[in-house]
Amino acid sequence: MNRRVAIVLAVGLLGVAAPAPALAADCATPTDVATTAWPRAMLDIDAVSAFTRGGGVTVAVLATGVRGDHRQLAGRVLTGVDAVGGGAAANTDCTGVGTQVAGVIAAAPSDDSPVSGLAARATILPVRVVPDAGSAENTATPAALARGIDLARQNGADVIVVAVPAYQDSRELRAAVAAAVGGDVPVIASVGDLGSAQDGNPTPFPAAYPDVIGVGAIDQNGQISPASQRGEYVDLVAPGVAVPTLQGGTGSARGLVEASGTALAAGQVGAAAALVRNRSGRMPIADLTRLLTASASPADTGDAFGAGVVNPLAAVTGRLTDQRGRALPAVSAPSADRGDAENRRRAVAFAGAALAAVAVLAVLMVTVAIRRSRRQHWRPGMAPPLPEHDEPVEPGPPIMLLERKP
């Protein structure tokens, strides 16, 4: 657990969640899901896990709360805080959205579950920013999001994932984002889902702010979700259609669901940021944004995709290659042979690290990615080869940035 998470709240000491109380009968319920989770293959979770699983990093999930007693999150969900309900705990989740997002971030691997979080050893800090009333609220107020971001920062979040947008700008929300960014806490936000809030394609906040990483959703074929909002505020995309993940609500603490939405995509990018933070410690938000966008795999052109599909392995290893030559990661079911799978994970991971050493080639070929960066002028970063380790580990040295000549 992040040692900074030791702040006394009005509701008591913030710590690992106790068993969650019973929920109402009209809460979300688990459903049948596919036997394999396609984002696991697309994001190459098995390979990146050879480098880091996000241990020691706290990710705040701003949504409906998170079910603290789900067995694949056991011991890694903090009590949290309710930004719309007077400061109460947020380790329950009747609606289920927050638990779904937490699942793609930090679900522990399990032999009998297809769901495995990208940062499977990260700690989740739930922050409720919409009422948990048993039916999904797809938007939040700027005031609630501002309070939620402030509470996340004050309670030790290393990464903040905003799963539900607001559709009004506000000075209060801008100030909360500025305070987080000023403390080198990245804010990663859903760009919203068409038809969920208002007609048209309204501007989502805080995703539209320059220092926030806005995230849209793609499907298994690398196509943009029809519901994913589009505009210059999209920096990256990630899996967000028919994604197997964890379910809150009623029923067993083993519950799963197949869910869709840009909230899930934002969770995947938030997990990637947690992995980088585990390996390289705190870095300026601009540098983290540059690294995630420069290492992305382009899926298409246009304002729906931003720089492309988040590529956690490339981001962790600093592997920046020709954007035009990198294909969308293949989607295939993982092997049932765990011994062979482990050997493949190590081989792929160390091959990626070796490629990271070709710094000169990367600098020459990352020009395309630079042109795709819509909001910040950046210099490419390169990471040294990384040894395999078991987590948690002390953060390594920050990724060095190559100075651009005048």
Side-chain angles (χ1 to χ4, degrees), residues 43-44 48 51 276 291-292 294-297 309-321 326 352 356 381 383 399:
L43 300 181
D44 220 351
V48 77
F51 288 115
V276 172
L291 180 59
L292 290 173
S295 59
S297 300
V309 183
V310 68
N311 189 326
L313 180 60
V316 166
T317 61
R319 180 177 147 191
L320 310 182
T321 61
R326 186 195 297 125
I399 292 174

Side-chain angles (χ1 to χ4, degrees), residues 20-289:
L23 298 173
D26 60 349
C27 292
T29 56
T31 61
D32 293 334
V33 301
T35 56
T36 59
W38 64 268
R40 182 172 182 172
M42 178 174 282
L43 300 181
D44 220 351
I45 291 177
D46 293 335
V48 77
S49 294
F51 288 115
T52 169
R53 301 176 192 176
V57 178
T58 298
V59 181
V61 174
L62 275 60
T64 56
V66 174
R67 181 165 181 169
D69 67 344
H70 198 289
R71 56 123 181 185
Q72 285 185 261
L73 295 172
R76 291 178 296 109
V77 177
L78 303 176
T79 303
V81 62
D82 190 332
V84 292
N91 61 320
T92 59
D93 184 17
C94 175
T95 303
V97 174
T99 305
Q100 293 166 13
V101 175
V104 301
I105 297 171
S110 175
D111 290 341
D112 58 354
S113 171
V115 180
S116 179
L118 177 56
R121 291 186 181 173
T123 297
I124 298 295
L125 170 64
V127 181
R128 186 171 290 128
V129 294
V130 293
D132 186 26
S135 61
E137 290 282 349
N138 294 311
T139 65
T141 66
L145 287 183
R147 286 194 299 272
I149 291 170
D150 283 338
L151 287 167
R153 174 178 56 83
Q154 294 163 7
N155 288 293
D158 299 300
V159 176
I160 296 174
V161 174
V162 181
V164 287
Y167 288 102
Q168 303 85 34
D169 193 3
S170 81
R171 182 179 302 176
E172 185 181 14
L173 182 54
R174 286 179 178 269
V177 169
V181 171
D184 289 329
V185 179
V187 179
I188 295 156
S190 156
V191 300
D193 300 286
L194 296 169
S196 66
Q198 302 177 18
D199 293 334
N201 187 49
T203 302
F205 298 97
Y209 295 152
D211 293 320
V212 174
I213 300 175
V215 185
I218 58 169
D219 64 17
Q220 185 171 0
N221 299 314
Q223 300 300 309
I224 197 71
S225 165
S228 184
Q229 290 193 208
R230 52 212 66 201
E232 291 187 350
Y233 44 74
V234 180
D235 293 294
L236 291 166
V237 294
V241 178
V243 174
T245 186
L246 309 185
Q247 179 64 300
T250 57
S252 169
R254 305 163 64 91
L256 305 176
V257 70
E258 197 170 88
S260 299
T262 55
L264 297 168
Q268 315 261 20
V269 175
L275 298 179
V276 172
R277 177 134 289 184
N278 170 264
R279 288 304 311 173
S280 301
R282 301 180 86 83
M283 64 171 63
I285 301 303
D287 292 348
L288 177 63
T289 302

